[in-house]
Structures are given as structure tokens and as C-alpha cells.
Amino acid sequence: MSRQTLLTQQHALQCLGTALGFVLLRSIATTHRLPPQADEASLYVHWPYCLKRCSYCNFNKYIPRNQNHAVMTACLQRETQTLLQLSQVSRISSVFFGGGTPSLAQPSTIAAVLETVSKHAHLSDEAEVTLEVNPTPAGKASLKDFTLAGVNRFSVGIQSLNDDHLRTLGRDHDSQHALWTVSEARTLCPGRVSVDVMFALPGQSVKSWESELEKLLPVCDDHVSLYQLTLERGTQLFKQVDSGELSVPGDDVTAVMYNSARGVLEKAGFRQYEVSNFAKNNAVSEHNIGYWKGRQYIGVGPGAHGRFVLRAVGGVQREARTQTLEPDVWIREVQRHGHGTRRRIQLDHHGLLEEVLVMGLRMNEGITQQHWKLFSPEDDLQQIFGMSEKVQEFQAGGLLKLNNRGLRCSWEGLALLDSILPTMLLELEMFFKKDCTQGNA
Amino acid sequence: MKVFKKKSQSLFTNLTPDLENLDMSKFPVERIRNFSIVAHIDHGKSTLADRLLEITGAIAKTASNKQVLDKLQVERERGITVKAQTASLFYQHDGQTYLLNLIDTPGHVDFSYEVSRSISACQGVLLIVDANQGIQAQTVANFYLAFEAQLTIIPVINKIDLKNADPERVEKQIEKVFDIPKEECIRISAKLGTNVDQVLQEVVKRIPPPTARVDDLFKALVFDSTFDHYRGVVANIALFGGRVSRGDKIVSAHLGKSYEVNELGLLRPDEHPTETLYAGQVGYVIAGMKEVKEAQIGDTLYLHKQPVEALPGFKPAKSMVFAGMYPMDQSEYTALRSAVEKLMLNDSSVTVQKDSSLALGAGWRLGFLGLLHMEVFNQRLEQEYNASVIVTAPTVPYKAVLASAKLIKEHGEEVITIINPAQFPDKSQVVKYLEPMVMGTIIAPDDFTGKIMTLCQSRRAVQKNMFYIDEHRVMIKYIFPLNEIVVDFYDQLKSMSSGYASFDYEDAGYEAADLIKMDFLLNGRPVEELATIVHKDKAYSAGKAICERLKESIPRQMFEIAVQAAIGSKIIARETIKAYRKNVLAKCYGGDVTRKMKLLKKQAEGKKKLRRIGNIDVPKDAFINVLKRK
């Protein structure tokens, strides 16, 4: 972005008060409507390092030989500052430290990043600040320091309470460590501890899964995330299953596992608020809800993703941004340019609505009329999907509900969401095509 | 090219006449022999042809002379000859130079039509039999073709250099099966050249010269034609009388069109122009014909204003096997069409009809002489034109005898041929259905007789006769419904006999059959592109097999799908595709959105291409899996 364009933008903004400026702004707004909630965002910070490689994980993570915490801290701060300034958000609604294994970061790093945030935007004391924790003895020991640094919510990756499964997954903790860590976290952040558990593990039966859940309920706090193990190409586990050394439960079994877990958790007072997330006492993850509600987020750190408007350079559309993957390269880029954004893709109105649709339907409450209206003031859900034969089929089949409250999946529908979404995307596309041709005529 | 010519000349000057100024009048009918080589696959036909060409100086003797006459890539790969090729050889015998015209023939009975074309230009054949393998099914078929054409048959036992060669046993077989005295057999090794010269001597001695007179009017048979992009049609002709020269005006008896001869000459096997060709000789002629159709195989050529009685024409090639052919992607349609057209220029025995399938798009229904012919065509399409195609499982042409005068009037004929199941008339409209039959010949070691008989019975075959061609080998003849052998019969026969059984078949007319049309339903709705005609006895097993294949290839959906095979309103087989109970990605946070959207949009795009039957999305792959040849 050249200085000249920046000046032009500023000039346009200065015209705001005049009648001419008003007309100018309106014409921009109708062709390129500024996406909603551009004034705030959540912040995701990626810590790319792990102590060892889990057998199922193909995520962006690195096993470092020696680590320079000071450099990493400085770069995370620098990129946070740059991206915050680019976005010109005045408020950061939540922060999430994910990884990798962010509990391997020094608490002072967390503190430094949060300090940077506060320097460039408003970060409320109440804002949710989550840290992903590996339930190892070392992780447990530093929990207190993390809370002192500003963390007020822990997400503990216990994965399983069965030691055989933990070994198969290549985790560096056992079930006892997991219990201790959860207990410590609950003491520090009562009501704000989440646990991650996995099902469809090699050798797991519906029965053993259910008994594992029963074991988990009395020790966990108010939030549970439930993930089905997905075999990713290139992982050790994939190879083991591929070669027949291990076997994972089939589709029918995993369906039973998923649904029985939903039943068990519901009975224990947990409300499912998203495909994989359950909370009681309304202890939902504000940060993650931001993703599903199509709010802006800024991604900092190697491989992090973001979605925000670059208001500082006159952006009117959201951008999907991806940071450079390899930590060393990312560090160099941040040092040189202030950020390590590797890829930028403009999200047009249609593209944004697609994301709002796909992400929104993951939530139990679905997409309310008001929520949709934020992004699509002109065409409501009824107009877009109401006439569709296929949507009517989904409704008749008891999978989808479309009414004056909004659009959402039924209990059965939520489990089949990925079969429903391609059709919904096509309907949306067809609506826009029709709209477009009518508009031209 | 020049270098090659010089080299061959210096090697053979004492054998060959002056090639640059060849005077074909020096070869009267008495010193001409026209002959073919026929053999079972891999018995060494092309190797012998190479040796004959070398000995007579038509080609230089080099290590790379491997099957010079097999010009097509697929021919070299499969060791078969598809397209008949011709070579004129000069041979010195008893102080005289003879003109020996070797007319190469396809080795497989699918191409028996080509064999019969070539044979009609010959007076004799060399029947090659492998000294190790002995008489095989195609040896028998080829023998009868030559025998019925009343040609002189010279049995040649090849590969006598092999360790397991047993020429004596083969001679006995020949005596027993073909009634040819074993003394008439020539034992050779085409590979090493052993006794190959004797073969040429016997060709001169035993095969009679053609009966054609140079004083008669010019009369020539078109026995083959090829298409050349620069020069148009190159017709191969055999002169049954008179002479023809460059500049002559000639007429096609079939079309009545006249042409001027631009070029003519001998095939050695490369074209070698001459001024004139005389009665009894064989060569090529280029006369400004633009399309292969203008040089119909079997047509007679004569000189302008000097008409002659046309030679008895050939039967047109009869399609015995049909298959649908579609481009993998509809955007490739035009390219594939031009590839098919180009191939057809050189293979007039393929028939073509436009066709379209709701699932596979626009394509063609092609008719082939037989299975190998179909395979060769596909392979040429892929290799020579780089076209990727979907070929559906082959079907055979059925017939129906219509029941009422009204229907007959409607169709314009009493017996209709059904190529497409959609045209299958209801039972109430027909007196009977007919299916094509073939006479199959199987030759195998007798250890396998039991297994072979079981296999044939399962294919609705009726045994006609069986006899031992020597102590251990048996020849069995069966009448098969053609439909029963078009799919995987030969593969099964080969594998159950450890590769020792050979099989060949010939047309055996039509017979009445209990045929029915079978429909396939998805949740009660018929899928028209899957309808098929089957014999009543096979309906259950065929229906079940296709239902199973559909079940395997239609992805699970959000509801249960019943896959059914039906005859009329009666369901005879059923498979159930259970509903999906869970299909959702467990994790979807900020970092997963891009990947997830990409995947979903790809699926959405894919959905546009699905064929929807009722509320079921059926991917193209499912149709391909069911329809294509396995």
C-alpha cells in the first residue's frame, strides 16, 4: 500500500461530514458493504512447538532442538502489534493461546503478548483468555504462573483416561497426570476449565467409550470438547491402521459412539452448543463461538489464520490471512516486515456468507434471523432457502429447521451436517445467480 | 531412406531384378504365386514373414527386423496382426525369378473377415503350427477358412529349435485333424532360419499360379485399403485380368465413379512405384479417392469404357459385439470423435452409432467383429490418439420375431435387431426372441476336460463333439450363446487350465432364447441406463451381481437406499445401502475454516455433476463401475 493511496483514503474519510462525502460513502457501502463488527476481533496466538510428536497429529508443530524464548516472544509481540494496527480494531474480545503446546511457552511470553494487546486495543479484564494445556507434570506446575500472566481459562488436552489409548496416541502423559492437571486447573479457574477427549480410538468399543465418559464426568469441570479421531495421511497412526497393525471402529460404530456421548453428557447437565462442544452452567467458550458466529479474528504466530478487514489501508472486505508456516522463516519475516502473512485472500460478500452459513450451522442454535441479517441485510434466510426443494426435503426428513427464528440443524441433522452443507452452499450460490440475472434485467 | 535402399541393393543384386526400372511384364502369371500365412497367436507367423522378406532381399537382414509387417503398436505388443499387410518378394528358383506375393493376415478369428479378404486374393496358405504347442483352436479355424476357399495348404511346423519341440506329435495331429499326410509338413525354425528356403521352394512347387490372363480386360479386386492423409486412399488390389498403368482411367464397379491412376506399384512391404501391373500380380494403387468408402473392400475395378462383370463381392463385416464408448469428460467429446473417425478410416469393420446416456453424456455405440477387435480398437484409441474413454460392458445383438402384421408393418420387417435394451419389445408383441450363437472350439490337455465341461455348462453351452487330437490333447466343440462368452469366458478358461487351453469361435447363426429385460431400481425408480437384456436362467445371478456392484459404488446418503433388480414388476434381487448416521467434521475452529470451505465447495461442485434419481445422488463413478468392462 503506497503512501499516496493512504492519503486518498484519509481524504475520503475526512469528507464524511460533507454532503458529497455522504453520497460517496453510500456508494461505497452499497457496492462494498463493510462487514459487520469490524471494530472488534478475537485474537488467536499460535505456539508451534511440541516436546514430541503425537502419532495422530499432522498439525503445524515443530520439535525444537533449542529454543530462543526471547526471540519468539518479541516476534509474537511484534506481529500482534502490526496486525492490530492493520485491523484498527478498538477492542479485543478474547484471546486464545493454541498450538503446538502453548503450555511449553514461558508465562512471561503470555504476559508480554497480552500486554501488547492492551497497549493497542481495549482488552477487558473480563475477556476470556484461554491457554491449551498438555496435562504433563511440567504443564501442571506452571498453571499458576499462567494465571498470574493473565490466563483465565484452561483447555486441557487429556484425550483419554485409558493409558493404553494414550500410549497408542503417542501422548507424553498418563491418565493420572491428566486428573491432577484438571484438578489443579479447576482450583485456579473454577468453572473455566475445558477438557478435550477423543473417541473412535484404535481398539475402542462403544462400551469402553461409554465407561470412559462415565469416569470423566465426576472429575471434569463445566466444559467438554469431544473429538472423533481422524486419521490424517502422513501420520504414524495412519500408517499403522493402513498396514492393518491397528484397527479403528467403523462408521456405524463411531456414529453410535458420538450419539451415545451426546446422550450421556446431556444427562449430566451438559448442553451441546456446537458439533463437538458441551457446556454446563453456560460455561461456553466465547472465543470459539466467535468463529462460528462469523466474527473477526486475528491470527498471530506461525501458520495462524485470521479473518479481518484491513481498515488501516482502506479495506472494505474481510481478508482471509494465513501466516507463514515454518517458525524460523516466520521469525525472519516478522523481524523484517513486522508480520509473517504468507497468503491473503479477499472474501467477497458471497464468500463471507458461505462461511457464516457453514460455521453457523455447527451451532446448536444455528443461525438466527438477526445473526444472518447482520451479514445479509437484504436477503433473509427465508428468501434464500425457503423455496428450495432440497431444503424442504431436509426439513421433511427432520434434519433441518427453517422458521422465523432462523435456520438450524435438528439433533439428528447436526450429526449429518457435512452431508447437508454442500447442498446448502449450492442453494446459496443459485440464489445469488438468480439475484444477479434479475438485477441485471 | 536412401541409405537403406542402397544397402539392400548391394546385398541382393544377384537376386532381385533392377528395382529402379522394374518391368513388371517380365513376370507372367506362371511365375507368380499368391499366398498367405495363417497361424494361432504366437506360433511364429510374423517371424517367418520377416525371414521370407530377408531371404528374398525385400528388407535388409538386421537384428531389428522384428515382425516388420506388424505395423501397429498394439500388434507388436500383443503379438497379433490386425491389419493385413502385403509384400511382394522376388525369388530365384531353377534359374527363373518368381514373384511371390505374401499377403499377411490377422491371426485371430475376430478378424476372420480380414482373413477371408486376404485369402480370396491367394491360391495357397502356409499353415503354421508351433512344434511345442501343437494344433490350437485358431489353427483349426484358420484351416477351415483356407480349406473352404479351396486353397492349397502347406503345413509348416515352426519352432523346432525349442527344447520341448515334438514335431512328430504335431505331424500326427495334423494328419488326424486335417487329413493332410504328415510327409507334406515342413519342419522349420523361423527364428534361426532353418529350412525357410525350403518353404519358398515349396510355395513355388505346390501352390498353383493365379488363373488370370493378361489378354483379358483389366479387372482387379480391392482386398484392402488404407488411408493416407496426404495422398488419400491407398487401395491394395489383386489383378484378375489385363493390365493397368499410371495415367489410366479406372472405374469402381460399386460406385460407378471413375478415377485417374496417379501412382501404382508393388508393396515390398514399402510402396515401390512401377509403371504397370499385370494379370495375376498384387500391388497398390492411388487414384485420387478421398474416402475409404470409395475403395470398398471387395469392390471390382475396371478400365473406363471397358466394363467387366464384377467379382463376387465380400459379405459386409458383421458386428457381433457392441459397446458404448464415452469420453471420460464431456469436454473431450470433440477430440474423441475425431480420434474415432481417424481410426475408422483404417478399420471399416467398426460400425458406429451416436448414443447418449443420462449418466455418461454423449458418446457412441460401436459395433465390433468380436472381443479382441474391440480391445484392439480401444487400445489403439488410447495409444495412438491418447484418448481416455469409458467403454461399457459389451452386449450382443438380439433379435425378435414380431407377432402381428400391424407390428411388422410398423417396423417394416418381421425380425428386428435389438442393440439397445430400451428398444426391447414386450413379450406380448413377439413370437419369439433370438440370440446370436457361436460354435466354439476348445483344445486343451485332457486333464482339464472335467473343469472345462463344467465351465461351459455354466455358460449355457451345448456340447457338439469331442475327440482326441493326440494321446493327451482333446478338442471339444460347443455351441455357445455369444452373450455367454463376451465378458470373461476366455480369462476363466485360461486360468482354470493354467493357460493351456485355447479357444476360438465362429458365427453359428441365431437361436430362440428365453430373453427378458431386467431393470434396476433405486428406491423404486428405474435407472434407464442400467436396463439390460438377460437370459431367464441368468436373471437372478446377473441381477444380484449388478445390485452388489451398485451397492459398492453408490456412497451412503442420509437415507436408506434400496437397490433392486426387477423383471417387470417382480423384484428378483435387492441390496440395501444403509443411511449415514454421522458425517460431520469433529473440529472446526479458526484455522480449519479455509480447508473446510475448500472441501465443501469441491463437494458442492461435484454435486452439480451427479445424476439425481429420485432424491438419490448417484456419482458418475457408480455408473462407470457398473457399466464398464471389468
Side-chain angles (χ1 to χ4, degrees):
Chain A
M1 184 62 61
S2 73
R3 206 183 158 74
Q4 183 60 49
T5 24
L6 244 170
L7 285 173
T8 323
Q9 297 294 344
Q10 276 168 6
H11 177 72
L13 287 170
Q14 279 160 10
C15 291
L16 239 170
T18 69
L20 183 67
F22 183 68
V23 172
L24 190 71
L25 200 73
R26 264 195 60 123
S27 72
I28 290 173
T30 43
T31 45
H32 309 282
R33 190 184 301 113
L34 200 64
Q37 302 160 332
D39 191 44
E40 64 170 63
S42 59
L43 178 72
Y44 174 83
V45 183
H46 192 78
W47 184 264
Y49 303 111
C50 287
L51 275 184
K52 65 178 284 217
R53 189 174 291 273
C54 296
S55 67
Y56 59 92
C57 180
N58 73 339
F59 212 60
N60 182 34
K61 41 122 217 303
Y62 297 83
I63 320 291
R65 261 161 299 170
N66 53 11
Q67 209 172 316
N68 191 330
H69 283 274
V71 170
M72 196 62 194
T73 305
C75 287
L76 286 174
Q77 283 184 286
R78 177 93 194 272
E79 192 172 52
T80 301
Q81 177 187 335
T82 310
L83 298 185
L84 278 173
Q85 282 172 342
L86 266 178
S87 74
Q88 288 196 349
V89 294
S90 63
R91 199 175 84 93
I92 286 295
S93 49
S94 63
V95 183
F96 195 104
F97 292 92
T101 310
S103 53
L104 291 178
Q106 291 171 344
S108 58
T109 300
I110 305 296
V113 171
L114 291 175
E115 207 170 292
T116 307
V117 174
S118 297
K119 217 185 266 172
H120 296 91
H122 176 65
L123 178 66
S124 146
D125 288 345
E126 265 88 67
E128 181 185 286
V129 179
T130 308
L131 177 80
E132 279 182 355
V133 178
N134 235 17
T136 56
K140 176 184 164 256
S142 45
L143 290 186
K144 182 142 207 269
D145 291 335
F146 282 122
T147 56
L148 293 174
V151 171
N152 57 23
R153 184 171 179 273
F154 290 113
S155 172
V156 188
I158 65 174
Q159 317 308 355
S160 172
L161 286 177
N162 175 322
D163 286 336
D164 290 336
H165 288 154
L166 288 172
R167 267 190 295 277
T168 312
L169 296 174
R171 300 290 301 188
D172 53 4
H173 73 269
D174 63 24
S175 57
Q176 196 53 55
H177 296 145
L179 294 175
W180 285 333
T181 309
V182 172
S183 158
E184 170 78 0
R186 289 182 72 180
T187 314
L188 293 165
C189 300
R192 303 193 82 167
V193 177
S194 175
V195 294
D196 288 356
V197 274
M198 290 173 90
F199 66 98
L201 304 178
Q204 196 173 44
S205 67
V206 175
K207 224 171 170 182
S208 68
W209 164 235
E210 282 172 349
S211 69
E212 220 174 302
L213 265 182
E214 294 294 349
K215 221 160 87 185
L216 177 75
L217 285 172
V219 294
C220 71
D221 197 47
D222 287 354
H223 194 278
V224 176
S225 296
L226 210 61
Y227 303 126
Q228 179 178 334
L229 170 70
T230 35
L231 291 172
E232 303 283 359
R233 228 160 237 295
T235 61
Q236 193 199 330
L237 199 64
F238 182 91
K239 278 178 221 142
Q240 287 170 306
V241 172
D242 202 43
S243 70
E245 188 189 324
L246 292 173
S247 75
V248 288
D251 287 350
D252 288 331
V253 179
T254 58
V256 174
M257 285 177 167
Y258 180 63
N259 285 333
S260 83
R262 293 165 86 187
V264 168
L265 286 165
E266 218 165 303
K267 233 197 258 162
F270 285 88
R271 190 178 68 87
Q272 178 174 21
Y273 68 101
E274 192 260 357
V275 170
S276 308
N277 286 281
F278 301 79
K280 66 181 173 189
N281 304 322
N282 205 28
V284 296
S285 163
E286 285 300 335
H287 183 86
N288 289 340
I289 280 182
Y291 296 135
W292 302 317
K293 287 208 164 169
R295 293 179 188 146
Q296 292 204 117
Y297 54 97
I298 295 169
V300 165
H305 289 245
R307 294 275 189 287
F308 60 90
V309 183
L310 277 73
R311 291 203 299 170
V313 291
V316 286
Q317 285 186 336
R318 243 185 228 182
E319 257 185 30
R321 293 170 74 94
T322 313
Q323 310 308 106
T324 294
L325 223 52
E326 305 85 351
D328 293 344
V329 184
W330 173 84
I331 285 170
R332 249 177 285 138
E333 287 174 3
V334 174
Q335 286 170 341
R336 204 166 299 159
H337 311 291
H339 66 89
T341 304
R342 182 50 69 94
R343 208 172 50 146
R344 300 168 50 184
I345 295 166
Q346 296 292 323
L347 273 181
D348 61 10
H349 181 57
H350 182 198
L352 181 58
L353 284 188
E354 284 180 332
E355 293 197 359
V356 170
L357 179 69
V358 164
M359 298 304 276
L361 282 177
R362 290 185 68 87
M363 290 182 293
N364 186 45
E365 65 169 50
I367 303 159
T368 62
Q369 295 286 5
Q370 300 91 295
H371 175 198
W372 185 258
K373 212 170 171 180
L374 267 179
F375 296 92
S376 173
E378 272 133 37
D379 312 304
D380 69 25
L381 290 166
Q382 207 64 256
Q383 278 170 284
I384 297 174
F385 299 108
M387 301 305 288
S388 154
E389 219 172 278
K390 285 169 193 164
V391 172
Q392 282 163 12
E393 260 172 43
F394 287 146
Q395 286 181 273
L399 301 174
L400 209 58
K401 289 176 187 169
L402 174 62
N403 50 33
N404 43 20
R405 278 177 53 200
L407 176 70
R408 68 183 198 89
C409 288
S410 69
W411 196 83
E412 291 81 11
L414 205 58
L416 291 168
L417 182 60
D418 286 355
S419 297
I420 297 173
L421 287 175
T423 301
M424 302 305 284
L425 287 173
L426 280 182
E427 293 298 323
L428 185 65
E429 184 188 318
M430 266 166 6
F431 177 82
F432 274 102
K433 260 193 197 146
K434 216 166 53 196
D435 205 38
C436 199
T437 47
Q438 278 170 358
N440 287 342
Chain B
M1 209 58 204
K2 233 176 181 170
V3 176
F4 173 81
K5 260 186 189 165
K6 261 190 191 155
K7 190 177 169 194
S8 58
Q9 265 184 337
S10 67
L11 261 169
F12 303 105
T13 35
N14 54 347
L15 288 179
T16 47
D18 181 358
L19 275 170
E20 299 299 322
N21 306 295
L22 199 57
D23 180 2
M24 291 307 291
S25 68
K26 293 201 175 135
F27 297 95
V29 169
E30 306 84 69
R31 280 194 278 121
I32 296 173
R33 302 291 183 269
N34 295 326
F35 70 104
S36 272
I37 309 177
V38 292
H40 187 83
I41 284 177
D42 272 346
H43 280 197
K45 185 185 70 173
S46 300
T47 313
L48 176 59
D50 286 351
R51 282 305 93 71
L52 298 181
L53 262 59
E54 279 171 17
I55 289 182
T56 57
I59 55 170
K61 195 169 181 168
T62 63
S64 62
N65 275 342
K66 282 216 164 138
Q67 303 171 3
V68 171
L69 295 187
D70 291 352
K71 279 188 185 164
L72 303 172
Q73 188 186 349
V74 32
E75 293 179 334
R76 289 182 194 219
E77 271 179 24
R78 304 185 137 229
I80 53 168
T81 314
V82 175
K83 204 58 202 156
Q85 306 273 350
T86 295
S88 295
L89 319 171
F90 298 105
Y91 180 62
Q92 301 279 328
H93 181 75
D94 287 346
Q96 300 265 35
T97 303
Y98 284 80
L99 178 64
L100 309 183
N101 296 309
L102 164 58
I103 294 163
D104 198 19
T105 60
H108 191 270
V109 76
D110 268 7
F111 306 101
S112 62
Y113 173 66
E114 299 233 358
V115 176
S116 70
R117 266 189 221 164
S118 319
I119 274 176
S120 67
C122 299
Q123 286 72 47
V125 298
L126 300 175
L127 180 68
I128 315 290
V129 187
D130 183 305
N132 179 13
Q133 288 186 15
I135 290 178
Q136 297 292 312
Q138 277 158 47
T139 320
V140 180
N142 284 323
F143 169 81
Y144 282 108
L145 273 175
F147 186 73
E148 279 160 23
Q150 299 184 323
L151 305 188
T152 302
I153 296 164
I154 304 176
V156 175
I157 298 171
N158 188 21
K159 306 194 190 180
I160 55 166
D161 56 305
L162 289 184
K163 211 170 73 191
N164 296 322
D166 188 354
E168 219 149 299
R169 181 177 64 98
V170 178
E171 282 170 358
K172 279 188 201 151
Q173 287 179 355
I174 288 171
E175 207 168 56
K176 188 161 182 197
V177 181
F178 302 140
D179 207 17
I180 299 175
K182 59 183 178 195
E183 293 72 27
E184 291 186 17
C185 296
I186 311 173
R187 295 182 185 186
I188 69 160
S189 162
K191 194 172 122 197
L192 304 179
T194 319
N195 293 342
V196 173
D197 191 60
Q198 195 198 334
V199 172
L200 287 170
Q201 289 173 29
E202 297 300 324
V203 165
V204 174
K205 280 193 228 159
R206 292 196 214 169
I207 296 176
T211 49
R213 287 158 28 113
V214 97
D215 301 332
D216 286 350
L217 292 175
F218 166 64
K219 181 183 194 177
L221 170 78
V222 178
F223 66 89
D224 199 3
S225 66
T226 51
F227 183 78
D228 183 302
H229 276 280
Y230 303 101
R231 300 179 299 168
V233 176
V234 180
N236 290 5
I237 56 168
L239 277 75
F240 280 60
R243 70 180 77 182
V244 64
S245 303
R246 199 146 56 101
D248 280 353
K249 265 199 146 180
I250 57 168
V251 181
S252 136
H254 178 67
L255 293 173
K257 275 177 93 170
S258 55
Y259 306 90
E260 191 182 306
V261 177
N262 303 326
E263 185 185 327
L264 81 175
L266 296 181
L267 294 158
R268 296 191 31 82
D270 296 322
E271 286 158 15
H272 189 96
T274 58
E275 274 302 312
T276 310
L277 286 172
Y278 296 86
Q281 297 174 356
V282 169
Y284 73 96
V285 59
I286 299 170
M289 293 171 172
K290 299 263 179 342
E291 285 182 74
V292 178
K293 277 182 237 156
E294 294 175 83
Q296 290 255 358
I297 313 298
D299 198 359
T300 306
L301 302 178
Y302 57 84
L303 286 178
H304 189 55
K305 292 193 176 151
Q306 298 180 24
V308 297
E309 195 187 329
L311 293 156
F314 292 73
K315 50 175 183 175
K318 194 166 73 177
S319 299
M320 294 291 276
V321 175
F322 290 84
M325 185 172 278
Y326 301 88
M328 210 50 139
D329 190 295
Q330 279 296 309
S331 64
E332 294 162 17
Y333 179 84
T334 321
L336 183 60
R337 185 182 62 197
S338 91
V340 169
E341 280 168 359
K342 271 184 208 151
L343 265 184
M344 291 195 39
L345 284 177
N346 271 320
D347 189 349
S348 52
S349 49
V350 180
T351 63
V352 129
Q353 244 179 296
K354 270 194 182 169
D355 202 357
S356 79
S357 150
L358 288 167
L360 306 177
W364 304 269
R365 181 150 282 266
L366 303 182
F368 300 99
L369 301 173
L371 282 174
L372 183 70
H373 184 208
M374 175 169 86
E375 225 161 277
V376 165
F377 188 89
N378 292 344
Q379 213 175 328
R380 286 183 66 181
L381 206 57
E382 275 181 25
Q383 287 173 347
E384 292 169 36
Y385 299 99
N386 201 15
S388 60
V389 291
I390 302 163
V391 181
T392 66
T395 59
V396 300
Y398 292 107
K399 286 182 177 179
V401 181
L402 297 173
S404 70
K406 190 171 161 253
L407 284 165
I408 294 168
K409 202 176 162 197
E410 234 170 70
H411 286 90
E413 51 194 349
E414 189 189 352
V415 183
I416 57 167
T417 302
I418 310 144
I419 294 169
N420 188 334
Q423 305 154 347
F424 193 71
D426 189 73
K427 203 169 180 181
S428 62
Q429 301 186 339
V430 304
V431 179
K432 58 182 174 182
Y433 298 108
L434 303 170
E435 66 176 330
M437 308 298 288
V438 292
M439 173 68 82
T441 302
I442 298 167
I443 294 179
D446 57 1
D447 325 1
F448 301 111
T449 312
K451 277 188 186 170
I452 288 171
M453 287 168 79
T454 310
L455 172 68
C456 293
Q457 272 159 22
S458 76
R459 302 293 179 126
R460 297 192 286 129
V462 177
Q463 193 182 316
K464 284 295 162 189
N465 65 47
M466 169 166 157
F467 82 98
Y468 278 82
I469 61 170
D470 60 25
E471 293 84 52
H472 299 298
R473 299 181 74 84
V474 63
M475 177 162 95
I476 322 173
K477 293 214 169 204
Y478 278 97
I479 291 279
F480 284 95
L482 176 60
N483 183 47
E484 295 289 338
I485 60 163
V486 292
V487 178
D488 54 359
F489 175 77
Y490 189 56
D491 291 339
Q492 280 200 21
L493 181 70
K494 274 276 174 198
S495 73
M496 73 163 44
S497 65
S498 315
Y500 284 115
S502 66
F503 173 72
D504 212 334
Y505 64 88
E506 58 192 290
D507 186 3
Y510 274 77
E511 276 182 21
D514 257 339
L515 300 176
I516 42 182
K517 182 182 163 193
M518 183 155 59
D519 288 310
F520 291 89
L521 316 176
L522 294 180
N523 280 352
R525 295 205 187 210
V527 186
E528 63 185 272
E529 49 267 69
L530 296 182
T532 172
I533 299 168
V534 286
H535 190 270
K536 208 173 124 200
D537 295 351
K538 288 298 181 77
Y540 177 72
S541 59
K544 193 167 167 350
I546 293 184
C547 284
E548 280 168 6
R549 271 160 92 172
L550 276 172
K551 183 185 176 177
E552 279 165 29
S553 44
I554 296 177
R556 293 169 77 171
Q557 312 206 355
M558 282 179 286
F559 38 80
E560 189 172 285
I561 303 169
V563 182
Q564 295 167 311
I567 293 166
S569 56
K570 195 175 151 208
I571 304 296
I572 59 158
R574 177 190 166 123
E575 292 287 333
T576 304
I577 301 171
K578 281 207 244 157
Y580 247 140
R581 296 192 47 202
K582 174 178 180 293
N583 178 29
V584 62
L585 189 74
K587 223 180 229 191
C588 195
Y589 301 115
D592 308 306
V593 183
T594 304
R595 193 162 73 137
K596 178 73 183 162
M597 289 308 300
K598 217 178 191 173
L599 189 72
L600 285 170
K601 296 198 70 156
K602 204 174 135 196
Q603 287 170 352
E605 274 313 300
K607 253 185 144 45
K608 288 183 188 166
K609 290 183 193 151
L610 294 177
R611 167 117 158 78
R612 213 165 148 83
I613 293 157
N615 56 350
I616 304 164
D617 290 324
V618 186
K620 191 170 161 183
D621 280 354
F623 287 99
I624 296 173
N625 282 346
V626 174
L627 293 173
K628 80 164 183 213
R629 293 194 61 206
K630 267 194 178 164

